[in-house]
């Protein structure tokens, strides 16, 4: 992988904490897929699976509107062959992991996973 996972995670968290959706999306491929159990709640017809940057943007924009105090604090970063996992704590103290698979330097697949 041609990026520094720690630097990527720090930039990712800073963009979210600044509520800068376009800065977050800059790292995503146009045809990226993102899954999340919350996407199923906010965009029920998605079944929790969003395909393409426009669909991901619309979901995250709704999420930001619903969570005005959103804040992420990176706990750990795990690195695989083409994958980064960002384990973080959200504004409610919830433990979350963002699993991001890269292709050509951009996120092609992402998964929001939440501690039970």
């Amino acid at each position: 992988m041609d990026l520094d996972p720690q630097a990527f995670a720090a930039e990712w968290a800073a963009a979210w904490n600044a509520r800068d959706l376009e800065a977050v999306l800059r790292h995503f491929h146009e045809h990226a897929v993102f899954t999340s159990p919350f996407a199923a709640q906010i965009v029920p017809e998605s079944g929790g699976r969003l395909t393409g940057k426009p669909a991901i943007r619309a979901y995250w924009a709704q999420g930001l509107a619903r969570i005005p105090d959103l804040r992420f604090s990176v706990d750990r970063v795990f690195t695989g062959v083409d994958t980064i996992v960002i384990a973080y704590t959200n504004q409610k103290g919830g433990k979350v992991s963002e699993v991001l698979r890269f292709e050509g330097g951009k996120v092609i697949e992402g998964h929001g996973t939440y501690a039970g």
Side-chain angles (χ1 to χ4, degrees):
M1 201 168 345
D2 291 337
L3 58 88
D4 176 337
Q6 296 293 331
F8 179 89
E11 187 177 314
W12 173 88
W16 275 114
N17 292 340
R19 306 176 67 79
D20 187 345
L21 186 52
E22 292 309 312
V24 176
L25 284 165
R26 191 173 304 125
H27 298 287
F28 280 72
H29 189 280
E30 286 299 320
H31 304 290
V33 172
F34 188 81
T35 67
S36 168
F38 290 108
Q41 293 174 12
I42 293 174
V43 186
E45 65 276 11
S46 73
R49 181 182 181 88
L50 305 156
T51 302
K53 224 187 232 190
I56 297 167
R57 178 184 287 111
Y59 160 61
W60 283 343
Q62 286 186 52
L64 285 171
R66 290 178 184 214
I67 308 169
D69 61 338
L70 180 131
R71 183 104 186 127
F72 297 160
S73 173
V74 175
D75 299 324
R76 284 187 83 180
V77 178
F78 301 88
T79 307
V81 173
D82 62 355
T83 306
I84 294 174
V85 177
I86 303 171
Y88 66 96
T89 303
N90 67 19
Q91 72 285 346
K92 291 183 176 181
K95 298 296 183 180
V96 185
S97 288
E98 198 92 354
V99 181
L100 305 171
R101 188 172 67 82
F102 291 77
E103 185 177 287
K106 299 272 186 185
V107 176
I108 191 68
E109 187 178 324
H111 306 280
T113 62
Y114 301 82

